[in-house]
Amino acid sequence: QVQLVDSGGGLVQAGASLRVSCVASGRTFRSYSMGWFRQSPGKEREFVAAIGWNDDNTVYADSVKGRFTISRDNIKNTVYLQMNSLKPEDTAVYYCAAAKTRYGLRIDEEVEYDYWGQGTQVTVSS
């Protein structure tokens, strides 16, 4: 079992930066791909960014490409999402997720993920 704890959300002004973190339990963290998803009121949860067990493999949603950066520290069992140039439309609950490495895994697909964090609220004011 993998347990994920999200943190780092908050209230910021448009144009500001924020970094959210996700700490995972267990010894098998290196074998998991990690992703970030977000959900706003009245909308479905959407993909934001993901990173494979090989950190050369990263994927971003078009809406955040060039502004957000995902990274991982396998020693600390932590994945990060650095968010720059935040916009009001980035306001959402952000969730981290873990997917077991397997053949054909698509790290930008929500259905692929096995474990989820509790979410952390990010609010961007205009």
Side-chain angles (χ1 to χ4, degrees), residues 11-67:
L11 173 63
V12 299
Q13 294 182 340
S17 297
L18 195 65
R19 188 179 74 167
V20 291
S21 303
C22 175
V23 179
S25 66
R27 296 180 177 179
T28 60
F29 179 75
R30 288 181 176 86
S31 68
Y32 286 83
S33 296
M34 301 295 297
W36 286 97
F37 295 77
R38 67 187 182 186
Q39 187 169 23
S40 300
K43 296 182 179 180
E44 296 182 355
R45 187 155 57 189
E46 65 176 349
F47 169 77
V48 177
I51 185 167
W53 67 270
N54 181 342
D55 63 6
D56 289 335
N57 182 22
T58 57
V59 183
Y60 296 92
D62 289 341
S63 60
V64 306
K65 195 172 298 181
R67 299 188 297 121

Side-chain angles (χ1 to χ4, degrees), residues 56-91:
D56 289 335
N57 182 22
T58 57
V59 183
Y60 296 92
D62 289 341
S63 60
V64 306
K65 195 172 298 181
R67 299 188 297 121
F68 291 10
T69 302
I70 187 171
S71 61
R72 66 189 296 163
D73 185 334
N74 289 338
I75 296 175
K76 296 182 178 180
N77 280 13
T78 302
V79 62
Y80 305 95
L81 184 68
Q82 177 67 45
M83 300 179 287
N84 298 327
S85 301
L86 282 163
K87 304 174 181 179
E89 52 261 44
D90 295 318
T91 296

Side-chain angles (χ1 to χ4, degrees), residues 81-111:
L81 184 68
Q82 177 67 45
M83 300 179 287
N84 298 327
S85 301
L86 282 163
K87 304 174 181 179
E89 52 261 44
D90 295 318
T91 296
V93 177
Y94 283 71
Y95 299 90
C96 68
K100 296 177 182 178
T101 299
R102 51 187 178 268
Y103 181 78
L105 176 67
R106 296 185 175 186
I107 60 175
D108 60 344
E109 294 290 340
E110 181 177 349
V111 70

